[in-house]
Amino acid sequence: MNDKELVKIAIDAMQKSYSPYSKFKVGAALLTKQGKVYTGCNIENAAYGPTNCAERTAFFKAISEGEKEFAKIAIVGGKDGNITDLFMPCGVCRQVMAEFCDENFQIIVALSEESFKTFSLPELLPFGFTPKNLS
Ligand code: THU
């Protein structure tokens, strides 16, 4: 699975977004170290607070299936599903990544299969509070 393929899966996952309030559709594709992909989309709620981001949907699907080791995640999104800009994952999703991923975990934010940027987790969440703090 190369990065381009992972981005394509994230773009497809975005189509499933349930976002009637913000109309901002997000898709994610999470790759395990064993090579399996879990997809996610954002799922909004009339009460707003229960909204779940696409990244966390993908993580929680994978964790609930017993996955523990993750290599990278591709993320795309845009108003009405039009991907016009890169956007970075929210702080809550970064914290969830820090719970389950090591410092080599890569976050790919994409405009298209041809255009994307890659960041490491420490770049996006420096000085994070992690399970190590509680050990
Ligand atoms: N959203 C995500 O799915 N991921 C992020 O990293 C940022 C925001 C969603 C949540 C909400 O449904 C919509 O985008 C607007 O905030």
Side-chain angles (χ1 to χ4, degrees), residues 18-19 22 24-27 41-44 51-55 75 87-91 93:
Y18 176 75
S19 44
S22 74
F24 191 86
K25 294 184 185 222
V26 184
C41 65
N42 55 330
I43 304 169
E44 298 188 343
T51 292
N52 207 55
C53 290
E55 300 91 318
I75 308 163
F87 77 92
M88 305 303 291
C90 83
C93 289

Side-chain angles (χ1 to χ4, degrees), residues 12-13 30 33 71 73 76 80 87 109 117:
D12 289 344
L30 175 63
K33 285 187 181 172
I73 190 169
V76 296
D80 299 316
F87 77 92
V109 292
K117 281 186 182 162

Side-chain angles (χ1 to χ4, degrees), residues 93-125:
C93 289
R94 295 180 201 200
Q95 185 65 32
V96 168
M97 291 173 196
E99 184 71 24
F100 298 111
C101 304
D102 59 35
E103 63 280 1
N104 298 316
F105 185 71
Q106 293 186 327
I107 297 121
I108 302 165
V109 292
L111 264 178
S112 70
E113 286 171 65
E114 277 70 42
S115 175
F116 51 84
K117 281 186 182 162
T118 304
F119 299 88
S120 72
L121 185 53
E123 280 181 292
L124 297 196
L125 191 65

Side-chain angles (χ1 to χ4, degrees), residues 15-81:
Q15 311 307 328
K16 303 269 180 17
S17 166
Y18 176 75
S19 44
Y21 307 108
S22 74
K23 315 240 187 280
F24 191 86
K25 294 184 185 222
V26 184
L30 175 63
L31 180 68
T32 69
K33 285 187 181 172
Q34 291 74 30
K36 191 164 174 189
V37 178
Y38 289 84
T39 60
C41 65
N42 55 330
I43 304 169
E44 298 188 343
N45 190 282
Y48 288 21
T51 292
N52 207 55
C53 290
E55 300 91 318
R56 277 177 287 140
T57 301
F59 267 98
F60 296 157
K61 281 171 68 178
I63 297 291
S64 69
E65 295 293 324
E67 300 290 354
K68 289 189 171 67
E69 296 189 318
F70 301 101
K72 52 182 81 171
I73 190 169
I75 308 163
V76 296
K79 200 87 178 171
D80 299 316

